[in-house]
Amino acid sequence: MEDQNLEEQGHKRQDRHVGFYTQKNGKILLDGGEKDEWDIITTCQIAGYRCLVAAEAAGCDENGELVEVKAHRVISRPEQRHSFRKGKLLKTYILCYLVGVEHILIGFLNTKGDVVERKRYTLPEIENECKKYWNRDYHMDFLGQVLGWALPQVSEGKVYQMAYYGGNQISFKEVDNAK
C-alpha cells in the first residue's frame, strides 16, 4: 500500500517517515520508525455502521502484539481508584476496543513523575475490573447514536473531525483535507 492510497482514505502521514507496513488480523500496521509508534488502519462495526478507523499504538511487545501505553498518577485513595476506572480505563478501553489493541500497559507515576509501578491489562480484564462503573454495550450504543446524528451532515470526499467533551457537548466540523 502506498502513502497516496492512505491519503485518499483521509489519512495523512503526519510528516514522518513510514518505514514499512504489514497486515495482521485484518489490520494494516504502519511502522513508525524511530518514534517506535504504530499507526493502525482498520475497520470496525459500531451499531449498524462500518467504520474506517485510524489510530496510533505505542508499540509492540516481545510477542509482536500491539500495546497501548498510558501513564497515571499512583492511586492511594478509593476515590482515585473510582476516578481511574470511570475515566482513564474507560477512555483507553474504548479506543483500544475499536481498533483491536488487546494489551494496555499503564505506568503509575509518583509526584516527581517517576514510574513506580507498572500494570499490564487486557481488554477482558478491564471489562471485569470496571463492570460496576460502566458497560461497553451502553457506550457502543451511544457512539452508534452519535454516528447516526453525524452521518446526514457529511458530504462525500470531505474530512470531518468530531470531539466529545462529555454531557451533550459534541463538536463536529469539516477540516482541511490538506493537513
Side-chain angles (χ1 to χ4, degrees):
M1 177 175 281
E2 297 176 1
D3 294 331
Q4 179 184 5
N5 292 345
L6 296 175
E7 291 177 13
E8 288 171 4
Q9 296 173 24
H11 304 286
K12 299 300 279 181
R13 289 179 45 200
Q14 299 176 352
D15 296 326
R16 62 185 165 101
H17 172 69
V18 177
F20 65 92
Y21 77 95
T22 186
Q23 288 188 305
K24 183 174 184 178
N25 298 329
K27 298 175 189 62
I28 299 172
L29 307 175
L30 303 172
D31 178 18
E34 295 175 9
K35 294 189 178 189
D36 203 27
E37 295 173 338
W38 290 80
D39 290 335
I40 305 164
I41 301 170
T42 190
T43 58
C44 66
Q45 193 78 18
I46 301 171
Y49 304 99
R50 185 169 169 86
C51 302
L52 178 68
V53 180
E56 187 175 271
C60 290
D61 65 11
E62 61 279 354
N63 299 319
E65 296 293 328
L66 288 170
V67 177
E68 179 61 359
V69 177
K70 295 290 185 184
H72 192 76
R73 67 181 177 276
V74 170
I75 298 170
S76 58
R77 297 187 321 269
E79 60 270 14
Q80 290 174 325
R81 181 164 306 286
H82 175 81
S83 177
F84 173 68
R85 289 175 174 161
K86 282 189 75 174
K88 177 75 85 172
L89 280 183
L90 171 61
K91 291 174 188 173
T92 304
Y93 175 89
I94 295 292
L95 291 171
C96 290
Y97 176 79
L98 288 175
V99 297
V101 174
E102 289 284 327
H103 304 278
I104 299 153
L105 177 65
I106 298 182
F108 292 92
L109 311 174
N110 64 16
T111 56
K112 295 178 186 176
D114 301 321
V115 175
V116 294
E117 180 186 349
R118 290 181 184 94
K119 179 155 183 177
R120 185 178 175 126
Y121 292 92
T122 63
L123 294 180
E125 288 170 343
I126 291 174
E127 276 189 51
N128 189 49
E129 183 170 323
C130 298
K131 62 185 167 192
K132 294 191 314 188
Y133 300 94
W134 50 263
N135 176 286
R136 177 192 68 208
D137 295 335
Y138 170 82
H139 289 285
M140 290 297 110
D141 182 56
F142 172 75
L143 188 51
Q145 290 179 32
V146 170
L147 289 173
W149 165 81
L151 194 59
Q153 302 178 57
V154 301
S155 299
E156 188 174 332
K158 304 285 184 180
V159 176
Y160 297 86
Q161 179 182 35
M162 182 183 302
Y164 174 64
Y165 301 103
N168 61 357
Q169 297 181 356
I170 298 173
S171 83
F172 183 69
K173 62 183 179 182
E174 184 180 337
V175 295
D176 184 5
N177 197 13
K179 290 184 181 180

